Amino acid sequence: MTGTIVHDLVLVTGVSGGGKSIALHALEDAGYFCIDNLPPELLLDFLKVETHRGERRVAIGVDVRSKGSLPHLLPLIKQLRAQGQPVRSIFLDANTDALMRRFSETRRPHPLRAVSGEELERGAAANTRGLVDAIEIERELLAAIKVESTVIDTSLLRPAQLRAWVRDLVSVKGGSLTLVFESFAFKAGVPSDADFVFDVRVLPNPYYVHELRAQTGRDEPVAAYLRAQPEVQLMQSQIAAFLQQWLPNFIADHRSYLTVAIGCTGGQHRSVYLVETLAQLFAHHGQVLKRHRELDAR
């Protein structure tokens, strides 16, 4: 089997409760043919069949329900890439608190855990401990594939945000590094999918200017206020210089995505302004995405 097999192949994986179904629905809406929980052993045969269907885009969901087959997945990805098949792997992650909340809301069992009668008799504490253990075991099983994937932290994302972020990821052309700038609020937590995190809470805060409080870093009055602050300009130039210095190394390392997260207290003003500005500065790089975790959640 040689050469490109399908026009565009996306693998969607990640922790149970991370949002894989939402991501696959977003890809289906974007024109992908989607199949969920395909055992890795069947991947090559499935792709052979796809060669007769013309140039259509394919998305495949793989998760821990195929845990006996998971060790075969990473070697298969490397084999396909070596044979000329572009493969994009998206890994959906979330923190343990978010996952436990989602399992509680849906009342669905974790695929690695069946609640025993003894646990039910021991009550909620035992059930919680069993779920935490299952989540941690799953993280270990998926650790290797996570390293080889583009990670999206869905802990604080609404379904609409996740759908938009997935569509953005697959809209960029493969073969070169995509630079992702993301604003966030430290009070809501640091994104686990960030490669670099810059803390800009030391900068002057437009929140304390009454006329600017209700606006965001995308509004010109806020941008004008921040542009006039020497500390903001210094921080911006130093972040830009750091990225300019190291981007060639990440490109040489064949990285597909590099996520630069910029955080302030509320994720509304300073971090948003710097993400917007840095995205413009690096537009010449070719493939640049912007995310505003807190603003996008409105």
Side-chain angles (χ1 to χ4, degrees), residues 34-285:
C34 298
I35 181 169
D36 190 15
N37 198 29
L38 180 73
E41 297 96 328
L42 301 180
L43 180 57
L44 295 182
D45 289 335
F46 171 77
L47 293 176
K48 287 179 182 178
V49 173
E50 282 299 305
T51 60
H52 304 295
R53 298 184 184 272
E55 290 192 353
R56 73 172 177 179
R57 299 181 293 176
V58 176
I60 298 174
V62 181
D63 59 34
V64 79
R65 287 175 292 175
S66 302
K67 65 178 180 177
S69 305
L70 280 177
H72 303 290
L73 182 58
L74 191 55
L76 279 174
I77 292 175
K78 293 180 177 179
Q79 177 185 341
L80 287 168
R81 286 172 175 165
Q83 294 172 341
Q85 169 64 63
V87 182
R88 291 190 277 187
S89 179
I90 298 175
F91 188 100
L92 303 175
D93 200 6
N95 62 47
T96 299
D97 287 342
L99 295 175
M100 292 181 65
R101 183 179 66 252
R102 291 169 188 174
F103 278 108
S104 174
E105 290 171 351
T106 62
R107 295 187 175 274
R108 295 180 61 187
H110 192 282
L112 292 184
R113 178 174 178 269
V115 180
S116 66
E118 181 182 352
E119 284 180 308
L120 290 174
E121 290 179 3
R122 291 194 322 227
N127 291 335
T128 298
R129 182 68 256 167
L131 178 55
V132 171
D133 290 343
I135 291 171
E136 293 308 312
I137 292 171
E138 182 179 40
R139 291 194 195 282
E140 294 177 11
L141 290 171
L142 296 171
I145 188 63
K146 180 179 179 180
V147 172
E148 297 295 326
S149 305
T150 299
V151 181
I152 299 178
D153 182 354
T154 71
S155 304
L156 299 174
L157 299 187
R158 295 183 297 107
Q161 282 179 277
L162 177 55
R163 286 193 291 268
W165 287 20
V166 168
R167 288 195 298 268
D168 284 345
L169 281 179
V170 299
S171 68
V172 298
K173 297 178 181 178
S176 62
L177 183 142
T178 298
L179 189 55
V180 182
F181 291 102
E182 178 179 349
S183 68
F184 72 95
F186 270 99
K187 67 180 183 181
V190 178
S192 67
D193 52 3
D195 295 293
F196 293 109
V197 176
F198 293 96
D199 184 350
V200 301
R201 289 175 292 182
V202 296
L203 299 178
N205 192 351
Y207 178 84
Y208 295 109
V209 179
H210 179 73
E211 296 80 5
L212 303 179
R213 179 173 297 184
Q215 301 185 50
T216 77
R218 291 189 291 203
D219 295 316
E220 178 53 30
V222 173
Y225 170 84
L226 291 171
R227 278 197 301 268
Q229 310 300 319
E231 305 100 309
V232 175
Q233 295 306 306
L234 180 60
M235 179 74 80
Q236 176 185 306
S237 64
Q238 290 180 337
I239 294 174
F242 176 85
L243 294 175
Q244 291 282 14
Q245 174 69 38
W246 290 104
L247 265 180
N249 297 73
F250 285 97
I251 293 171
D253 195 42
H254 304 292
R255 289 286 294 271
S256 298
Y257 295 89
L258 185 70
T259 300
V260 179
I262 300 177
C264 60
T265 305
Q268 306 292 320
H269 300 102
R270 295 164 290 182
S271 60
V272 172
Y273 167 77
L274 284 168
V275 161
E276 293 287 331
T277 305
L278 289 166
Q280 290 180 358
L281 286 174
F282 284 87
H284 67 278
H285 169 72

